[in-house]
């Protein structure tokens, strides 16, 4: 089943986000390479393609896992969690309809 994972950034975490980014992306590439990633990306903190020093308010990942528990475990093991970038992570089932 597909799951929506939304990580919510804390305040003033842009430097921590940048430091943990390579590990975060490596995990996403592994999901993609296994055919289990629908989409992933950050949410700019301001209405701009490149938010610069304003940073990001969080990230969204939609990926396939065998269970909600596995999706939660994967999300909690993210380098952004251990680096203190995300202050909260929400994981819920997702049903793709379009396109």
């Amino acid at each position: 089943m597909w799951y929506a994972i939304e990580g919510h950034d804390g305040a003033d975490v842009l430097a921590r986000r940048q430091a943990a980014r390579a590990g975060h992306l490596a995990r996403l590439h592994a999901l993609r390479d296994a055919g289990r990633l629908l989409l992933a990306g950050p949410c700019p903190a301001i209405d701009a393609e490149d938010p610069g020093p304003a940073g990001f308010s969080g990230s969204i990942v939609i990926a396939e896992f065998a269970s909600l528990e596995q999706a939660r475990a994967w999300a909690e093991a993210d380098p952004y969690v251990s680096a203190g970038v995300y202050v909260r992570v929400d994981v819920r089932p997702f049903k793709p309809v379009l396109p």
Side-chain angles (χ1 to χ4, degrees):
M1 180 158 186
W2 294 98
Y3 294 90
I5 300 168
E6 186 172 8
H8 301 269
D9 284 20
D12 301 316
V13 296
L14 184 57
R16 282 185 259 170
R17 177 183 264 273
Q18 291 167 333
R21 187 169 189 260
H24 172 77
L25 289 177
R27 297 177 82 236
L28 293 172
H29 289 156
L31 283 177
R32 180 202 59 200
D33 294 348
R36 297 174 42 211
L37 182 65
L38 186 62
L39 67 85
C43 300
I46 61 174
D47 189 14
E49 184 78 21
D50 178 359
F56 300 89
S57 63
S59 303
I60 296 172
V61 174
I62 299 180
E64 188 175 35
F65 294 92
S67 68
L68 180 58
E69 292 76 24
Q70 286 185 9
R72 285 183 176 147
W74 185 91
E76 289 300 323
D78 194 286
Y80 283 173
V81 172
S82 58
V85 175
Y86 293 158
V87 294
R88 187 175 98 237
V89 178
D90 298 323
V91 181
R92 56 192 180 275
F94 178 80
K95 183 178 177 182
V97 174
L98 293 172

Coordinates of all heavy atoms in Angstrom, one line a residue:
M1 N 0.8 -1.2 0.0 CA 0.0 0.0 0.0 C 0.9 1.2 0.0 O 2.0 1.2 0.5 CB -0.9 0.0 1.2 CG -1.8 1.2 1.3 SD -3.2 0.8 2.4 CE -4.1 2.3 2.1
W2 N 0.3 2.3 -0.5 CA 1.0 3.6 -0.5 C 0.8 4.3 0.8 O -0.3 4.2 1.4 CB 0.5 4.4 -1.7 CG 0.9 3.9 -3.0 CD1 0.1 3.1 -3.8 CD2 2.1 3.9 -3.7 NE1 0.7 2.7 -4.9 CE2 2.0 3.2 -4.9 CE3 3.3 4.6 -3.4 CZ2 3.0 3.1 -5.8 CZ3 4.4 4.4 -4.3 CH2 4.2 3.7 -5.5
Y3 N 1.8 5.1 1.2 CA 1.7 5.9 2.4 C 2.3 7.3 2.2 O 3.3 7.4 1.5 CB 2.5 5.2 3.6 CG 1.9 3.9 4.0 CD1 2.3 2.7 3.3 CD2 0.9 3.9 4.9 CE1 1.6 1.5 3.7 CE2 0.2 2.7 5.2 CZ 0.6 1.5 4.6 OH 0.0 0.3 4.9
A4 N 1.6 8.3 2.7 CA 2.1 9.7 2.7 C 2.8 9.9 4.0 O 2.3 9.7 5.1 CB 0.9 10.6 2.6
I5 N 4.1 10.4 3.8 CA 4.9 10.7 5.0 C 5.2 12.2 4.9 O 5.8 12.7 3.9 CB 6.2 9.9 4.9 CG1 5.9 8.4 4.9 CG2 7.2 10.3 6.0 CD1 7.1 7.5 4.6
E6 N 4.8 12.9 5.9 CA 5.1 14.3 6.0 C 5.9 14.7 7.2 O 5.5 14.5 8.3 CB 3.8 15.1 6.0 CG 4.0 16.6 5.9 CD 2.7 17.4 5.7 OE1 1.6 16.8 5.9 OE2 2.8 18.6 5.5
G7 N 7.1 15.1 6.9 CA 8.0 15.6 7.9 C 7.9 17.1 8.1 O 7.8 17.8 7.1
H8 N 7.8 17.6 9.3 CA 7.6 19.0 9.6 C 8.9 19.5 10.2 O 9.4 19.1 11.3 CB 6.5 19.2 10.6 CG 5.2 18.6 10.1 ND1 4.3 19.4 9.4 CD2 4.6 17.4 10.2 CE1 3.2 18.7 9.0 NE2 3.4 17.5 9.5
D9 N 9.5 20.5 9.6 CA 10.8 21.1 10.0 C 10.6 21.9 11.3 O 9.6 22.6 11.4 CB 11.4 22.0 9.0 CG 12.1 21.2 7.8 OD1 11.8 20.0 7.6 OD2 12.9 21.8 7.1
G10 N 11.6 21.9 12.1 CA 11.6 22.8 13.3 C 12.1 24.2 12.9 O 12.3 24.4 11.7
A11 N 12.3 25.0 13.8 CA 12.8 26.4 13.5 C 14.3 26.4 13.4 O 15.0 25.7 14.1 CB 12.4 27.3 14.7
D12 N 14.8 27.2 12.4 CA 16.2 27.4 12.2 C 17.0 26.1 12.0 O 18.0 25.9 12.7 CB 16.8 28.2 13.4 CG 16.1 29.6 13.5 OD1 15.9 30.2 12.5 OD2 15.8 29.9 14.7
V13 N 16.5 25.2 11.2 CA 17.2 23.9 11.0 C 17.8 23.8 9.6 O 18.2 22.7 9.2 CB 16.2 22.8 11.2 CG1 15.8 22.7 12.7 CG2 15.0 22.8 10.3
L14 N 17.9 24.9 8.8 CA 18.4 24.8 7.4 C 19.8 24.2 7.4 O 20.0 23.3 6.6 CB 18.3 26.1 6.7 CG 18.7 26.2 5.3 CD1 17.9 25.2 4.4 CD2 18.7 27.6 4.7
A15 N 20.7 24.6 8.3 CA 22.0 24.0 8.2 C 22.0 22.6 8.6 O 22.7 21.8 7.9 CB 22.9 24.8 9.2
R16 N 21.2 22.1 9.5 CA 21.1 20.7 9.8 C 20.5 19.9 8.6 O 20.9 18.8 8.3 CB 20.2 20.5 11.1 CG 21.0 20.8 12.3 CD 20.2 20.5 13.5 NE 19.6 21.7 14.0 CZ 18.7 21.8 14.9 NH1 18.1 20.7 15.5 NH2 18.3 23.0 15.3
R17 N 19.5 20.5 8.0 CA 18.9 19.9 6.8 C 20.0 19.7 5.7 O 20.0 18.6 5.1 CB 17.7 20.8 6.3 CG 17.1 20.3 5.0 CD 16.0 21.2 4.6 NE 14.7 20.8 5.0 CZ 13.9 20.0 4.4 NH1 14.3 19.4 3.3 NH2 12.7 19.7 4.9
Q18 N 20.7 20.7 5.5 CA 21.8 20.6 4.4 C 22.8 19.6 4.8 O 23.2 18.8 3.9 CB 22.4 22.0 4.2 CG 21.4 23.0 3.5 CD 21.9 24.4 3.6 OE1 22.7 24.8 4.5 NE2 21.4 25.2 2.6
A19 N 23.2 19.5 6.0 CA 24.2 18.5 6.5 C 23.7 17.1 6.4 O 24.4 16.1 6.1 CB 24.6 18.8 7.9
A20 N 22.4 16.8 6.6 CA 21.8 15.5 6.5 C 21.2 15.1 5.2 O 20.8 14.0 5.0 CB 20.7 15.4 7.6
R21 N 21.3 16.0 4.2 CA 20.6 15.8 2.9 C 21.1 14.6 2.1 O 20.3 13.9 1.6 CB 20.7 17.1 2.1 CG 19.9 17.0 0.8 CD 19.8 18.4 0.1 NE 18.9 18.4 -0.9 CZ 19.2 18.3 -2.2 NH1 20.5 18.1 -2.6 NH2 18.3 18.3 -3.2
A22 N 22.4 14.4 2.1 CA 22.9 13.3 1.3 C 22.3 11.9 1.8 O 21.9 11.1 1.0 CB 24.4 13.3 1.3
G23 N 22.3 11.7 3.1 CA 21.8 10.5 3.6 C 20.3 10.4 3.4 O 19.8 9.3 3.1
H24 N 19.6 11.5 3.5 CA 18.1 11.5 3.2 C 17.9 11.1 1.8 O 17.0 10.3 1.5 CB 17.6 12.9 3.6 CG 16.2 13.2 3.2 ND1 15.1 12.7 3.9 CD2 15.7 13.9 2.1 CE1 14.0 13.1 3.3 NE2 14.3 13.8 2.3
L25 N 18.6 11.7 0.9 CA 18.4 11.4 -0.6 C 18.8 10.0 -0.9 O 18.1 9.4 -1.7 CB 19.2 12.4 -1.4 CG 18.7 13.8 -1.5 CD1 19.6 14.7 -2.3 CD2 17.3 13.9 -2.0
A26 N 19.8 9.4 -0.3 CA 20.2 8.1 -0.5 C 19.1 7.1 -0.2 O 18.8 6.2 -1.0 CB 21.5 7.7 0.3
R27 N 18.3 7.3 0.9 CA 17.2 6.5 1.2 C 16.1 6.6 0.2 O 15.4 5.6 -0.2 CB 16.7 6.8 2.6 CG 17.8 6.6 3.7 CD 17.3 7.0 5.0 NE 16.5 5.9 5.6 CZ 15.3 6.0 6.0 NH1 14.7 7.2 6.0 NH2 14.6 5.0 6.5
L28 N 15.9 7.8 -0.3 CA 14.8 8.0 -1.3 C 15.2 7.4 -2.6 O 14.4 6.8 -3.3 CB 14.6 9.5 -1.5 CG 13.9 10.2 -0.3 CD1 13.9 11.7 -0.6 CD2 12.5 9.7 -0.1
H29 N 16.5 7.5 -3.0 CA 17.0 6.8 -4.2 C 16.8 5.3 -4.1 O 16.4 4.6 -5.1 CB 18.4 7.1 -4.5 CG 18.6 8.6 -4.9 ND1 19.8 9.2 -4.8 CD2 17.8 9.4 -5.5 CE1 19.7 10.4 -5.2 NE2 18.5 10.6 -5.7
A30 N 17.0 4.7 -2.9 CA 16.8 3.3 -2.7 C 15.3 2.9 -3.0 O 15.0 1.9 -3.6 CB 17.3 2.9 -1.4
L31 N 14.4 3.7 -2.4 CA 13.0 3.5 -2.7 C 12.7 3.6 -4.2 O 11.9 2.8 -4.7 CB 12.1 4.5 -1.9 CG 11.9 4.3 -0.4 CD1 11.1 5.4 0.2 CD2 11.3 2.9 -0.1
R32 N 13.2 4.6 -4.8 CA 13.0 4.8 -6.2 C 13.5 3.6 -7.0 O 12.8 3.1 -7.9 CB 13.7 6.1 -6.7 CG 13.5 6.4 -8.2 CD 14.5 7.3 -8.8 NE 15.8 6.7 -8.6 CZ 17.0 7.4 -8.6 NH1 17.0 8.7 -8.8 NH2 18.1 6.8 -8.4
D33 N 14.7 3.2 -6.7 CA 15.3 2.1 -7.5 C 14.5 0.8 -7.3 O 14.6 -0.1 -8.2 CB 16.8 2.0 -7.1 CG 17.6 3.2 -7.5 OD1 17.1 4.0 -8.3 OD2 18.7 3.3 -7.0
A34 N 13.8 0.7 -6.2 CA 13.0 -0.5 -5.9 C 11.6 -0.4 -6.5 O 10.8 -1.3 -6.3 CB 13.0 -0.8 -4.4
G35 N 11.3 0.7 -7.1 CA 10.0 1.0 -7.7 C 8.9 1.3 -6.7 O 7.8 1.1 -7.0
R36 N 9.4 1.8 -5.5 CA 8.4 2.0 -4.4 C 8.2 3.5 -4.1 O 7.5 3.8 -3.2 CB 8.9 1.3 -3.2 CG 9.0 -0.2 -3.4 CD 9.6 -0.9 -2.2 NE 9.1 -0.4 -0.9 CZ 9.9 -0.4 0.2 NH1 11.1 -0.9 0.2 NH2 9.4 0.1 1.3
L37 N 8.7 4.4 -4.9 CA 8.6 5.8 -4.7 C 7.7 6.5 -5.7 O 7.9 6.4 -6.9 CB 10.0 6.5 -4.7 CG 10.0 8.0 -4.4 CD1 9.5 8.3 -2.9 CD2 11.4 8.6 -4.6
L38 N 6.6 7.1 -5.2 CA 5.7 7.8 -6.1 C 6.2 9.2 -6.3 O 6.3 9.7 -7.4 CB 4.3 7.8 -5.6 CG 3.2 8.4 -6.5 CD1 3.1 7.6 -7.8 CD2 1.9 8.4 -5.7
L39 N 6.5 9.9 -5.2 CA 7.1 11.3 -5.3 C 7.7 11.6 -4.0 O 7.4 11.0 -2.9 CB 6.0 12.3 -5.7 CG 4.9 12.6 -4.7 CD1 5.3 13.6 -3.7 CD2 3.7 13.1 -5.5
A40 N 8.6 12.6 -4.0 CA 9.2 13.1 -2.8 C 9.7 14.5 -3.1 O 10.1 14.8 -4.2 CB 10.4 12.2 -2.4
G41 N 9.7 15.4 -2.1 CA 10.2 16.7 -2.2 C 10.0 17.6 -1.0 O 9.1 17.3 -0.2
P42 N 10.7 18.7 -0.9 CA 10.6 19.6 0.2 C 9.5 20.6 -0.1 O 9.1 20.9 -1.2 CB 12.0 20.3 0.2 CG 12.4 20.3 -1.2 CD 11.8 19.0 -1.8
C43 N 9.0 21.2 1.0 CA 8.0 22.3 1.0 C 8.7 23.6 1.3 O 9.1 23.8 2.5 CB 6.9 22.0 1.9 SG 6.0 20.5 1.6
P44 N 9.0 24.5 0.4 CA 9.6 25.8 0.7 C 8.8 26.5 1.8 O 7.6 26.5 1.8 CB 9.6 26.5 -0.6 CG 9.6 25.4 -1.6 CD 8.7 24.4 -1.0
A45 N 9.5 27.2 2.7 CA 8.9 27.9 3.8 C 8.2 29.2 3.2 O 7.4 29.8 3.9 CB 9.9 28.3 4.8
I46 N 8.6 29.6 2.0 CA 8.0 30.8 1.4 C 7.6 30.5 0.0 O 8.0 29.4 -0.5 CB 9.0 32.0 1.4 CG1 10.2 31.7 0.6 CG2 9.3 32.5 2.8 CD1 11.2 32.9 0.4
D47 N 6.8 31.3 -0.6 CA 6.3 31.0 -1.9 C 7.4 31.3 -3.0 O 7.3 32.4 -3.7 CB 5.0 31.9 -2.2 CG 4.3 31.5 -3.5 OD1 4.6 30.5 -4.1 OD2 3.5 32.3 -3.9
A48 N 8.3 30.4 -3.1 CA 9.4 30.6 -4.0 C 10.0 29.2 -4.3 O 10.1 28.4 -3.5 CB 10.5 31.5 -3.4
E49 N 10.5 29.1 -5.6 CA 11.1 27.8 -6.0 C 12.4 27.6 -5.1 O 12.6 26.5 -4.7 CB 11.5 27.9 -7.5 CG 12.1 26.7 -8.0 CD 11.0 25.6 -8.3 OE1 9.8 25.9 -8.5 OE2 11.5 24.4 -8.5
D50 N 13.2 28.6 -4.9 CA 14.3 28.5 -4.1 C 14.1 29.5 -2.9 O 14.2 30.7 -3.1 CB 15.6 28.9 -4.9 CG 16.8 28.9 -4.0 OD1 16.8 28.6 -2.8 OD2 17.9 29.2 -4.6
P51 N 13.8 28.9 -1.7 CA 13.5 29.8 -0.6 C 14.7 30.5 0.1 O 14.6 31.3 1.0 CB 12.8 28.8 0.4 CG 13.5 27.5 0.1 CD 13.7 27.5 -1.4
G52 N 15.9 30.1 -0.4 CA 17.1 30.7 0.2 C 17.2 30.5 1.7 O 16.9 29.4 2.2
P53 N 17.6 31.5 2.4 CA 17.7 31.3 3.9 C 16.4 31.1 4.6 O 16.5 30.7 5.8 CB 18.4 32.6 4.3 CG 18.2 33.6 3.2 CD 18.0 32.8 2.0
A54 N 15.3 31.3 4.0 CA 14.0 31.0 4.6 C 13.9 29.5 4.9 O 13.1 29.1 5.8 CB 12.8 31.6 3.8
G55 N 14.5 28.7 4.0 CA 14.5 27.3 4.2 C 13.2 26.6 3.8 O 12.5 27.1 2.9
F56 N 12.9 25.6 4.5 CA 11.7 24.7 4.2 C 10.9 24.5 5.5 O 11.4 24.6 6.6 CB 12.2 23.4 3.7 CG 13.0 23.5 2.4 CD1 14.4 23.7 2.5 CD2 12.4 23.6 1.2 CE1 15.2 23.9 1.3 CE2 13.2 23.8 0.0 CZ 14.5 23.9 0.1
S57 N 9.6 24.2 5.2 CA 8.7 23.9 6.3 C 8.6 22.4 6.6 O 8.0 22.0 7.6 CB 7.3 24.5 6.1 OG 6.7 23.9 4.9
G58 N 9.1 21.6 5.6 CA 9.1 20.2 5.8 C 9.2 19.5 4.4 O 9.7 20.1 3.5
S59 N 8.9 18.3 4.4 CA 9.0 17.4 3.2 C 7.8 16.5 3.1 O 7.2 16.1 4.1 CB 10.3 16.6 3.2 OG 11.4 17.4 3.3
I60 N 7.5 16.1 1.9 CA 6.5 15.1 1.6 C 7.1 13.9 0.8 O 7.8 14.1 -0.2 CB 5.3 15.7 0.8 CG1 4.6 16.8 1.7 CG2 4.3 14.6 0.4 CD1 3.6 17.6 1.0
V61 N 6.8 12.7 1.3 CA 7.2 11.5 0.6 C 6.0 10.6 0.4 O 5.3 10.4 1.4 CB 8.3 10.7 1.4 CG1 8.6 9.4 0.7 CG2 9.6 11.6 1.5
I62 N 5.8 10.1 -0.8 CA 4.7 9.1 -1.0 C 5.4 7.9 -1.5 O 6.0 7.9 -2.6 CB 3.6 9.6 -1.9 CG1 2.9 10.9 -1.2 CG2 2.5 8.5 -2.1 CD1 1.8 11.5 -2.0
A63 N 5.3 6.8 -0.7 CA 6.0 5.6 -1.1 C 5.2 4.4 -0.7 O 4.3 4.4 0.1 CB 7.4 5.6 -0.4
E64 N 5.6 3.2 -1.2 CA 4.9 2.0 -1.0 C 5.7 1.2 0.1 O 6.9 1.0 0.1 CB 4.9 1.2 -2.3 CG 4.0 -0.1 -2.2 CD 4.0 -0.7 -3.6 OE1 4.9 -0.7 -4.3 OE2 2.9 -1.3 -3.9
F65 N 4.9 0.7 1.1 CA 5.4 -0.2 2.1 C 4.4 -1.3 2.4 O 3.2 -1.2 2.0 CB 5.6 0.6 3.4 CG 6.6 1.7 3.3 CD1 6.3 3.0 3.0 CD2 8.0 1.4 3.6 CE1 7.3 4.0 2.8 CE2 8.9 2.4 3.5 CZ 8.6 3.6 3.1
A66 N 4.9 -2.4 3.0 CA 4.0 -3.5 3.3 C 3.0 -3.2 4.3 O 1.9 -3.9 4.4 CB 4.8 -4.7 3.7
S67 N 3.2 -2.3 5.2 CA 2.3 -1.9 6.3 C 2.5 -0.5 6.8 O 3.6 0.1 6.6 CB 2.5 -2.9 7.5 OG 3.7 -2.7 8.1
L68 N 1.6 0.0 7.6 CA 1.7 1.3 8.2 C 2.9 1.3 9.2 O 3.6 2.2 9.2 CB 0.4 1.6 8.9 CG 0.4 3.0 9.6 CD1 0.7 4.1 8.7 CD2 -1.0 3.2 10.3
E69 N 3.1 0.2 9.9 CA 4.2 0.1 10.8 C 5.5 0.2 10.1 O 6.4 0.8 10.6 CB 4.1 -1.2 11.6 CG 2.9 -1.3 12.6 CD 1.5 -1.6 11.9 OE1 1.5 -2.1 10.8 OE2 0.5 -1.2 12.4
Q70 N 5.6 -0.5 9.0 CA 6.9 -0.4 8.2 C 7.1 1.0 7.7 O 8.3 1.5 7.7 CB 6.9 -1.4 7.1 CG 7.1 -2.8 7.6 CD 7.2 -3.8 6.4 OE1 7.3 -3.5 5.3 NE2 7.2 -5.1 6.8
A71 N 6.1 1.7 7.3 CA 6.2 3.0 6.8 C 6.6 4.0 7.9 O 7.5 4.8 7.7 CB 4.9 3.5 6.2
R72 N 6.0 3.8 9.1 CA 6.4 4.6 10.2 C 7.9 4.3 10.6 O 8.6 5.3 11.0 CB 5.5 4.3 11.4 CG 4.1 5.0 11.3 CD 3.3 4.7 12.5 NE 2.0 5.4 12.3 CZ 0.9 5.0 12.8 NH1 0.8 3.9 13.5 NH2 -0.2 5.7 12.6
A73 N 8.3 3.1 10.6 CA 9.7 2.7 11.0 C 10.6 3.3 10.0 O 11.7 3.9 10.4 CB 9.8 1.2 11.1
W74 N 10.3 3.3 8.7 CA 11.2 3.9 7.7 C 11.3 5.4 7.9 O 12.4 6.0 7.9 CB 10.6 3.6 6.3 CG 11.5 4.1 5.2 CD1 12.6 3.4 4.6 CD2 11.5 5.4 4.6 NE1 13.2 4.2 3.7 CE2 12.5 5.4 3.7 CE3 10.7 6.5 4.8 CZ2 12.8 6.5 2.9 CZ3 11.0 7.6 4.0 CH2 12.0 7.6 3.1
A75 N 10.1 6.0 8.2 CA 10.1 7.5 8.4 C 10.9 7.9 9.6 O 11.7 8.9 9.6 CB 8.7 8.0 8.5
E76 N 10.8 7.1 10.7 CA 11.5 7.5 11.9 C 13.0 7.3 11.8 O 13.8 7.8 12.6 CB 10.9 6.7 13.1 CG 9.5 7.1 13.5 CD 9.5 8.6 14.0 OE1 10.4 9.1 14.6 OE2 8.5 9.3 13.7
A77 N 13.5 6.4 10.9 CA 14.9 6.2 10.7 C 15.5 7.2 9.7 O 16.7 7.1 9.4 CB 15.1 4.8 10.2
D78 N 14.8 8.2 9.3 CA 15.3 9.2 8.3 C 16.4 10.0 9.0 O 16.3 10.4 10.1 CB 14.2 10.1 7.8 CG 14.6 10.9 6.6 OD1 15.4 11.8 6.8 OD2 14.1 10.5 5.5
P79 N 17.5 10.3 8.2 CA 18.5 11.2 8.8 C 18.0 12.6 9.2 O 18.6 13.2 10.1 CB 19.5 11.3 7.6 CG 19.3 10.0 6.8 CD 17.9 9.7 6.9
Y80 N 16.9 13.1 8.6 CA 16.4 14.3 9.0 C 15.8 14.2 10.5 O 15.8 15.2 11.2 CB 15.3 14.8 8.1 CG 15.9 15.4 6.8 CD1 15.0 15.8 5.8 CD2 17.2 15.7 6.6 CE1 15.5 16.3 4.6 CE2 17.7 16.2 5.4 CZ 16.8 16.6 4.4 OH 17.3 17.1 3.2
V81 N 15.3 13.1 10.8 CA 14.8 12.9 12.2 C 16.0 12.9 13.2 O 16.0 13.6 14.2 CB 14.0 11.6 12.3 CG1 13.7 11.3 13.8 CG2 12.7 11.7 11.5
S82 N 17.0 12.1 12.9 CA 18.1 12.0 13.8 C 18.9 13.3 13.9 O 19.5 13.5 14.9 CB 19.1 10.8 13.4 OG 19.5 10.9 12.1
A83 N 18.9 14.1 12.8 CA 19.6 15.3 12.8 C 18.8 16.4 13.5 O 19.3 17.6 13.6 CB 20.0 15.7 11.4
G84 N 17.6 16.2 13.9 CA 16.8 17.2 14.5 C 16.1 18.2 13.5 O 15.7 19.2 13.9
V85 N 16.1 17.8 12.3 CA 15.4 18.7 11.3 C 13.9 18.6 11.5 O 13.2 19.6 11.6 CB 15.8 18.3 9.8 CG1 15.0 19.1 8.8 CG2 17.3 18.4 9.6
Y86 N 13.4 17.4 11.5 CA 12.0 17.2 11.6 C 11.6 17.2 13.1 O 12.2 16.5 13.9 CB 11.5 15.8 11.1 CG 11.6 15.7 9.6 CD1 11.6 14.4 9.0 CD2 11.6 16.8 8.7 CE1 11.7 14.2 7.6 CE2 11.6 16.6 7.3 CZ 11.7 15.3 6.8 OH 11.7 15.1 5.4
V87 N 10.6 18.0 13.5 CA 10.1 18.0 14.9 C 8.9 17.1 15.0 O 8.5 16.7 16.1 CB 9.8 19.4 15.4 CG1 11.1 20.2 15.5 CG2 8.8 20.1 14.5
R88 N 8.3 16.7 13.8 CA 7.2 15.8 13.8 C 7.1 15.1 12.5 O 7.4 15.8 11.4 CB 5.9 16.6 14.0 CG 4.6 15.8 14.2 CD 3.4 16.6 14.5 NE 2.6 16.8 13.3 CZ 2.3 18.0 12.9 NH1 2.6 19.1 13.5 NH2 1.6 18.2 11.8
V89 N 6.7 13.9 12.5 CA 6.5 13.1 11.2 C 5.1 12.5 11.3 O 4.8 11.8 12.2 CB 7.6 12.1 11.0 CG1 7.3 11.3 9.8 CG2 9.0 12.7 11.0
D90 N 4.3 12.8 10.3 CA 3.0 12.2 10.1 C 3.1 11.1 9.0 O 3.6 11.4 8.0 CB 1.9 13.2 9.8 CG 1.8 14.3 10.8 OD1 1.9 13.9 12.0 OD2 1.6 15.4 10.5
V91 N 2.5 9.9 9.3 CA 2.5 8.9 8.3 C 1.0 8.4 8.2 O 0.4 8.0 9.2 CB 3.4 7.7 8.7 CG1 3.3 6.6 7.6 CG2 4.8 8.2 8.9
R92 N 0.5 8.3 7.0 CA -0.9 7.9 6.8 C -1.1 7.2 5.5 O -0.3 7.5 4.6 CB -1.9 9.0 7.0 CG -1.7 10.2 6.1 CD -2.6 11.4 6.6 NE -2.4 12.5 5.7 CZ -1.5 13.4 5.8 NH1 -0.6 13.3 6.7 NH2 -1.4 14.4 4.9
P93 N -2.0 6.3 5.4 CA -2.3 5.6 4.1 C -2.6 6.6 3.0 O -3.2 7.7 3.3 CB -3.4 4.7 4.4 CG -3.4 4.5 5.9 CD -2.9 5.7 6.5
F94 N -2.3 6.3 1.8 CA -2.5 7.2 0.7 C -3.0 6.3 -0.5 O -2.5 5.2 -0.8 CB -1.2 7.9 0.3 CG -1.4 8.8 -0.9 CD1 -1.9 10.0 -0.8 CD2 -1.0 8.4 -2.2 CE1 -2.1 10.9 -1.9 CE2 -1.1 9.2 -3.3 CZ -1.7 10.5 -3.1
K95 N -4.1 6.8 -1.2 CA -4.6 6.1 -2.3 C -4.5 7.0 -3.6 O -5.2 7.9 -3.7 CB -6.1 5.7 -2.1 CG -6.7 4.9 -3.2 CD -8.1 4.6 -3.0 CE -8.7 3.8 -4.1 NZ -10.1 3.5 -4.0
P96 N -3.5 6.6 -4.5 CA -3.4 7.4 -5.7 C -4.6 7.2 -6.6 O -5.1 6.1 -6.8 CB -2.1 6.8 -6.4 CG -1.5 5.9 -5.4 CD -2.5 5.6 -4.4
V97 N -5.1 8.3 -7.1 CA -6.3 8.3 -8.0 C -5.9 8.9 -9.4 O -6.2 8.3 -10.4 CB -7.5 9.0 -7.4 CG1 -8.6 9.1 -8.4 CG2 -7.9 8.3 -6.1
L98 N -5.3 10.1 -9.4 CA -4.9 10.8 -10.6 C -3.5 11.2 -10.5 O -3.0 11.5 -9.5 CB -5.8 12.0 -10.8 CG -7.2 11.8 -11.1 CD1 -8.0 13.1 -11.0 CD2 -7.5 11.1 -12.4
P99 N -2.8 11.3 -11.6 CA -3.2 11.0 -13.0 C -3.2 9.5 -13.2 O -2.6 8.7 -12.7 CB -2.1 11.7 -13.8 CG -0.9 11.7 -13.0 CD -1.4 11.8 -11.6

